[in-house]
Amino acid sequence: MDVEKQVGAGPTRPPGFRDTTRGAWRRVELASLRVPFRVKLALVWLGVLTVLGIMFALVQFDLTWMGEHARFIFLGVPYTLLLSVAAIVLAVILAILGSLARLSRNPVAFGVSGFYVSFFRGTPLIVQMFLIYAGLAQIGSNLRNMGYAWGELLILEPLVAGILALGLNYGAYMTEIFRAGIQSVAHGQAEAAQALGMTYGQMMRRVILPQAVRVIIPPTGNEFIAMLKDSALVSFLGTVVSQMELFRRAQLLGTRDFRPFEALILAAAMYWALTTIFTYFQQRLERRMSKGYVRAGSFQLGGGAGGHAG
Amino acid sequence: MIASVGDGPVVRIEGLHKTFGPLEVLKGIDLEVEPGEVVVIFGRSGSGKSTLLRCVNWLEEPSAGVVEVDGIRLGPGHRTRSKREQIRRVRMRCGMVFQEFNLFPHLTAAENVMEGPLTVRGLDRTTARQQAMEQLRRVGLADKADEHPIRLSGGQKQRVAIARALAMEPTIMLFDEPTSALDPELIGEVLAVMKALATETRMTMMVVTHEMGFAREVAHRMLFLHEGEVVEEGPPSRILSEPQDARTRTFLAAVL
């Protein structure tokens, strides 16, 4: 705001300043400088909403229909959350195992985890979903035909296949996040733990992982928010009626009543609300943890980790 | 004075070699440390003194030779399950103090000291806490028990680190340049704790340091390491006032 005053008021101009803009445009510029940024921002949002409103009017937006069917679409939220929460839990477990394996000298652990990360990061999520849903079912039914009854177990419900695919896929990405988090803990910490006589497991549980968690939590929150949205892909597996998540409900209902725009806007708004809520909580969590760094002793600001060399 | 305590050496090192790739850091070290003895190891940077210390508790794997600690004899080779277990036993008997303190930043001072007894020795929390407070009193930091390391000065951190090592009730303490990372005015408080440990507790100690005043006062024996070999050893009175080897003389002239 200080800048505005300076430019607006004549006397503060440097002596060599030559006014090159003239007339109406200059007056607009000067007037604009007096409008606070927040007001301009509000005007921009208003403009965007107006454009959207015009679009809504053009498709003859059916608000009544939306009001009547919002509840049905909203019933998909619990399934979207169930999918995402179950999948993130699976992903975290896989990421812990995967990252420890990536850091181990055991050739089997290192090799298997390397294959896992490479495959699930290197292929599309939707392909993985169908591989797990349709591919495993094919193996299962073949096994069953060969006389192995347990082949039945490989024929999965769409919801289960979706959780597995999302968990495996995100677990692969998060393996790298966890690995980086573990490696961010100073080497001296491992030595101090070993010098006390801790086993590898004790060292990880008591010393390394508690410190790595601080680095790991923020990006894991991001992954969860991304997963909320990717959970919509499960609908392509043809989710059964009783377990339909958000997008599937919107899509089916919109198609049936020939109101795809209204239905999808509702679904989008609900995803948006979910991600906004979780982003808010994630930011609060991050703030709380960064406070903890300063108050409770941070390894970044120079704990025992070795930042105080000389 | 030394020979009267206990029976047999605490540490016995025979023909210890250590190579890092093409670099031979230790070229055949033989050393015995008697119970209650304080051995100061000094030498130029890169002479292998830290490596020697780290071979005692297996933070470095010897390339050849034997390291025996408190009767546990181990040589190089594949770390089988039973060998890993023995290495762990060796480590439980060696308290180690690092140049960079390496305190656990997510734990308070008391929790740092409790961690070994709780996790490794399997003590219950109440006993571990009591013992931790005792150790912290011993290093003069009982009032800082519930502070996190970030709130402590370098000297205080190093004293907590000493308390953490002592809480494991080790038979020998290994000090790896414990005052090198400290501001000059903080060195004294750490050396005072170490001195008390040597003279009052009669702790067996191997100390890598350049603090010649400490060595003169406390050490029973000094070892001068040069390019991976023990060039000269003897009581501080002789080593410091009439060193025999030219390399020892050059080094001492630079340090003193």
Side-chain angles (χ1 to χ4, degrees), chain B residues 13 98 102 108 112 126 128 143 154 163 169 228-229 236 253:
Chain B
I13 294 167
F98 300 88
N102 295 349
T108 63
N112 264 278
T126 327
D143 57 324
E169 295 177 358
E229 284 171 301

Side-chain angles (χ1 to χ4, degrees), chain A residues 140-290:
Chain A
S141 67
N142 282 353
L143 281 170
R144 191 184 46 194
N145 294 343
M146 286 158 68
Y148 301 104
W150 55 267
E152 201 82 44
L153 292 174
L154 293 181
I155 304 172
L156 304 170
E157 272 189 59
L159 192 74
V160 177
I163 290 170
L164 274 181
L166 281 170
L168 282 162
N169 181 277
Y170 275 72
Y173 284 96
M174 283 160 58
T175 289
E176 293 299 298
I177 293 174
F178 279 42
R179 183 186 55 73
I182 290 170
Q183 283 182 322
S184 77
V185 179
H187 185 61
Q189 293 291 307
E191 287 198 338
Q194 285 167 350
L196 286 175
M198 287 193 194
T199 62
Y200 176 81
Q202 289 170 338
M203 172 182 85
M204 280 296 165
R205 264 201 324 280
R206 305 286 304 181
V207 177
I208 307 294
L209 290 178
Q211 293 180 61
V213 158
R214 292 178 162 173
V215 183
I216 288 169
I217 280 188
T220 298
N222 282 339
E223 293 292 304
F224 179 70
I225 286 162
M227 190 184 275
L228 271 177
K229 294 174 287 170
D230 276 352
S231 68
L233 289 173
V234 177
S235 58
F236 288 109
L237 301 179
T239 341
V240 287
V241 185
S242 60
Q243 296 178 347
M244 285 191 303
E245 40 62 67
L246 246 175
F247 171 61
R248 183 72 172 154
R249 281 169 180 267
Q251 196 204 14
L252 286 181
L253 198 65
T255 312
R256 191 197 68 185
D257 292 359
F258 204 62
R259 295 277 186 281
F261 194 75
E262 286 87 343
L264 292 173
I265 281 290
L266 273 174
M270 287 176 200
Y271 279 115
W272 198 7
L274 284 180
T275 53
T276 309
I277 291 166
F278 281 105
T279 308
Y280 170 76
F281 282 119
Q282 194 208 357
Q283 280 168 353
R284 270 185 46 152
L285 186 68
E286 267 180 59
R287 253 204 308 277
R288 224 187 68 186
M289 286 193 333
S290 65

